[in-house]
Amino acid sequence: MEETKYEHSLVFAVRDYECDLQGVVNNANYQHYLEHARHEFLISRGISFSHLHDEGLDLIVTRIEIDYKYPLRSHDKFVVRSTILREGNVRLVFVQDIFRLPDEKLVVKARVTGAATKNGRPVHPGDIIKRLGLG
Amino acid sequence: MEETKYEHSLVFAVRDYECDLQGVVNNANYQHYLEHARHEFLISRGISFSHLHDEGLDLIVTRIEIDYKYPLRSHDKFVVRSTILREGNVRLVFVQDIFRLPDEKLVVKARVTGAATKNGRPVHPGDIIKRLGLG
Amino acid sequence: MEETKYEHSLVFAVRDYECDLQGVVNNANYQHYLEHARHEFLISRGISFSHLHDEGLDLIVTRIEIDYKYPLRSHDKFVVRSTILREGNVRLVFVQDIFRLPDEKLVVKARVTGAATKNGRPVHPGDIIKRLGLG
Amino acid sequence: MEETKYEHSLVFAVRDYECDLQGVVNNANYQHYLEHARHEFLISRGISFSHLHDEGLDLIVTRIEIDYKYPLRSHDKFVVRSTILREGNVRLVFVQDIFRLPDEKLVVKARVTGAATKNGRPVHPGDIIKRLGLG
């Protein structure tokens, strides 16, 4: 397996309200972590999700695949590492993996496909692709 | 204690993801239940929260008081009963109580104070008050 | 494409707090809807997720794939339709699709792979498979 | 008004999924912030919420009062400052205020009353009170 070269990392701590009655982080919350890491990744490249929205441009997720490898628990610290690939003309793919800290145990492997829409219709994410250095 | 005369009821079922590692519904989720019940109450009077927002008018919560009397658990059914009072010229107060079903065990007593804002500034909630029959 | 024969349906209404600043239901919330529908599906077959947990047996999700086809918005009603397949000896796969009501617009297509663990270790989901009629 | 002497601070950043269709942090999420800050406060005094739970002892919230002064938005940073008071024999009161950073704009003022329960029944929070230096 070729190693992923991540371009962005964000460290989190589990919050107790994110854990469910099984005592582990509820599955849907990993999607929150991944989303927050993507938005911070984009901000680090000068792309604000909410400013884009105000201009009528939305980056939307069209597909998500998540492999749950190991559960996070109360008090755990972890890092979301992300990179981004271009797929075809109009799609962006975020490869995002979550590791527990400090032991680097693999928690989640995710692949998130996105597209750009303007007022609800798909558009070419030209400017975004340029700012991400994918042009 | 004088009995509250409720004007609106909404029945819910606990969803497992709303429970935390104590095995009970996480405290913040009651606020979600109360909010959803308020919005449905307003819709039943012809007032749409999201349509108001599109017109630049927001109904905001300025204060919330919640007494937690008994916890809800996985599989519980419950009802949120609400009524609304006018307080002074510009404030609305929702009195909202939650009861477990079918045994009517009191779960939560809440008092939620709201105000209207237009583009971020407080306004008189005139039209809303009329539609609620509080004029 | 062969048509899915669903074995369980659950009707929901969007709650405003589930919508994000794009004005649509936040992606992670679909996972909540799917989870709640799976748990209700299992309950309808006499399998309680939280009772299993109390016995040390957890049904966990090992992989989720979600295709986001069309966003839900404030006030939308929708149905989650589910069926379950056996995959190999130890995995269960839930096929779950979400349709807006009443127009049956396809919202989400999901495939959720699960496994059983006892005190954190994978076990054969024997009894569960029997109760689901997959034996 | 006498100034509050806080004993604990925790810095957060708003995550976009915490914002609702009004473009601001949804009211219930402030309760999440406050809860996480309380748990971190207790941990800083050697009290683990989830370890207590495993021993059958739960710290529960019996009442919450929140004044919403100013909304947080996407990208905002903020701090939750907390202190704790003893009230009568068995109750603890957390005074918790949220300020936007770096301008120290007051966002939320909260007062959260807690009690200790063992296997669901109220108990004297003796050991907890000692560790908090409130004895």
Side-chain angles (χ1 to χ4, degrees):
Chain A
M1 194 175 90
E2 110 192 72
E3 210 174 302
T4 307
K5 214 176 136 248
Y6 303 107
E7 299 174 75
H8 185 262
S9 303
L10 193 63
V11 172
F12 293 73
V14 170
R15 302 177 182 173
D16 283 344
Y17 68 79
E18 296 166 340
C19 298
D20 62 20
L21 39 77
Q22 291 188 325
V24 296
V25 168
N26 182 271
N27 290 318
N29 285 322
Y30 294 97
Q31 226 175 312
H32 281 151
Y33 301 151
L34 297 170
E35 179 193 295
H36 184 54
R38 288 195 305 277
H39 291 198
E40 290 293 310
F41 182 12
L42 293 175
I43 285 169
S44 74
R45 303 296 174 98
I47 299 167
S48 160
F49 194 76
S50 54
H51 294 169
L52 284 180
H53 176 67
D54 292 341
E55 296 165 18
L57 188 72
D58 285 309
L59 272 179
I60 61 164
V61 170
T62 58
R63 177 172 170 80
I64 193 159
E65 295 163 63
I66 303 177
D67 286 294
Y68 296 97
K69 297 297 193 180
Y70 194 83
L72 290 170
R73 294 176 178 278
S74 182
H75 306 327
D76 281 349
K77 288 202 168 32
F78 60 98
V79 60
V80 181
R81 297 203 178 100
S82 309
T83 191
I84 191 168
L85 312 169
R86 194 168 165 182
E87 190 180 82
N89 262 330
V90 297
R91 278 193 295 268
L92 301 170
V93 175
F94 289 85
V95 175
Q96 300 189 283
D97 299 328
I98 301 181
F99 300 89
R100 191 174 62 182
L101 295 177
D103 69 357
E104 294 284 342
K105 178 98 180 167
L106 179 61
V107 170
V108 149
K109 286 188 78 60
R111 194 181 155 86
V112 182
T113 309
T117 63
K118 188 140 199 168
N119 306 318
R121 328 191 82 190
V123 294
H124 189 276
D127 186 44
I128 294 167
I129 279 176
K130 244 180 262 161
R131 287 201 228 176
L132 290 168
L134 298 170
Chain B
M1 195 177 89
E2 112 192 69
E3 210 175 303
T4 307
K5 212 174 139 251
Y6 304 106
E7 299 175 75
H8 185 262
S9 304
L10 192 64
V11 172
F12 294 73
V14 171
R15 301 176 184 175
D16 283 345
Y17 67 80
E18 297 166 339
C19 298
D20 62 21
L21 41 78
Q22 291 188 323
V24 296
V25 169
N26 182 271
N27 289 318
N29 285 322
Y30 294 97
Q31 227 176 311
H32 281 152
Y33 301 152
L34 297 169
E35 180 193 294
H36 184 55
R38 287 195 304 277
H39 291 199
E40 290 292 310
F41 182 12
L42 292 175
I43 285 170
S44 74
R45 302 298 174 96
I47 299 167
S48 160
F49 195 75
S50 54
H51 293 169
L52 285 180
H53 177 68
D54 293 340
E55 296 165 18
L57 188 71
D58 284 310
L59 271 179
I60 61 164
V61 170
T62 58
R63 178 173 168 80
I64 193 159
E65 295 162 65
I66 304 178
D67 286 294
Y68 296 96
K69 297 297 193 181
Y70 195 83
L72 289 171
R73 294 176 179 277
S74 181
H75 306 327
D76 281 349
K77 288 202 169 33
F78 59 98
V79 59
V80 181
R81 297 201 178 101
S82 308
T83 189
I84 192 168
L85 313 168
R86 195 168 164 183
E87 190 181 82
N89 261 331
V90 297
R91 278 193 296 268
L92 301 171
V93 175
F94 289 85
V95 175
Q96 300 190 283
D97 300 328
I98 302 181
F99 301 89
R100 190 174 62 184
L101 295 178
D103 68 357
E104 295 283 342
K105 178 98 181 166
L106 178 62
V107 170
V108 149
K109 287 189 76 64
R111 191 180 158 87
V112 183
T113 309
T117 63
K118 188 137 197 169
N119 305 317
R121 328 190 82 191
V123 293
H124 188 278
D127 185 44
I128 293 167
I129 279 176
K130 244 181 261 160
R131 288 201 227 174
L132 290 169
L134 298 170
Chain C
M1 194 176 90
E2 112 192 69
E3 209 175 304
T4 307
K5 211 172 140 253
Y6 304 106
E7 298 175 76
H8 185 262
S9 304
L10 192 64
V11 172
F12 293 73
V14 170
R15 301 176 183 175
D16 283 344
Y17 67 79
E18 297 166 339
C19 298
D20 63 20
L21 41 76
Q22 291 187 324
V24 296
V25 169
N26 182 272
N27 289 318
N29 285 323
Y30 294 97
Q31 228 176 308
H32 281 151
Y33 301 151
L34 297 169
E35 179 193 295
H36 184 54
R38 287 195 305 278
H39 291 199
E40 290 293 311
F41 182 12
L42 292 174
I43 285 169
S44 75
R45 302 297 174 98
I47 299 167
S48 160
F49 195 75
S50 54
H51 293 168
L52 284 180
H53 176 68
D54 292 342
E55 297 165 17
L57 188 71
D58 284 309
L59 272 179
I60 61 163
V61 170
T62 58
R63 178 173 167 80
I64 193 159
E65 296 163 64
I66 303 177
D67 286 295
Y68 296 97
K69 298 297 194 181
Y70 195 83
L72 289 170
R73 295 177 178 278
S74 181
H75 306 327
D76 281 348
K77 289 200 168 33
F78 60 98
V79 60
V80 181
R81 297 202 178 101
S82 308
T83 190
I84 191 168
L85 312 169
R86 195 169 166 181
E87 190 181 81
N89 261 331
V90 296
R91 278 194 295 269
L92 301 171
V93 176
F94 289 85
V95 175
Q96 300 190 283
D97 300 327
I98 301 181
F99 301 89
R100 190 174 63 183
L101 295 177
D103 68 356
E104 294 283 343
K105 177 99 181 165
L106 178 62
V107 170
V108 149
K109 286 189 78 62
R111 192 181 157 87
V112 182
T113 308
T117 63
K118 188 139 198 168
N119 306 317
R121 327 190 82 190
V123 294
H124 188 278
D127 186 44
I128 293 167
I129 279 176
K130 244 180 261 159
R131 287 201 228 174
L132 290 169
L134 297 171
Chain D
M1 194 175 91
E2 111 191 71
E3 210 174 302
T4 307
K5 213 174 138 251
Y6 303 106
E7 299 174 74
H8 185 264
S9 304
L10 192 64
V11 172
F12 294 72
V14 170
R15 302 176 183 173
D16 283 344
Y17 67 79
E18 296 166 340
C19 298
D20 62 19
L21 40 77
Q22 291 187 324
V24 296
V25 169
N26 182 272
N27 289 317
N29 285 322
Y30 294 97
Q31 226 174 312
H32 281 151
Y33 301 151
L34 297 169
E35 179 193 294
H36 184 55
R38 287 196 305 277
H39 291 198
E40 290 292 310
F41 182 11
L42 293 175
I43 285 169
S44 74
R45 302 297 174 97
I47 299 167
S48 160
F49 194 77
S50 53
H51 294 168
L52 285 179
H53 177 67
D54 292 342
E55 296 164 19
L57 188 72
D58 285 309
L59 272 179
I60 61 164
V61 170
T62 58
R63 177 172 169 81
I64 193 159
E65 296 163 63
I66 303 177
D67 285 294
Y68 296 97
K69 296 298 194 179
Y70 194 83
L72 290 170
R73 293 175 179 278
S74 181
H75 307 327
D76 281 349
K77 289 201 168 32
F78 60 99
V79 59
V80 181
R81 298 202 178 101
S82 308
T83 191
I84 190 167
L85 312 168
R86 195 168 164 183
E87 191 181 82
N89 261 331
V90 297
R91 277 193 295 268
L92 301 170
V93 176
F94 289 85
V95 175
Q96 300 189 283
D97 299 328
I98 301 181
F99 300 88
R100 190 174 62 183
L101 295 177
D103 68 357
E104 293 284 341
K105 178 99 181 166
L106 178 61
V107 170
V108 148
K109 286 188 79 61
R111 194 182 155 85
V112 182
T113 308
T117 63
K118 189 139 198 167
N119 306 319
R121 327 190 83 190
V123 294
H124 188 277
D127 186 45
I128 294 167
I129 279 176
K130 245 180 262 159
R131 288 200 226 176
L132 290 168
L134 298 171

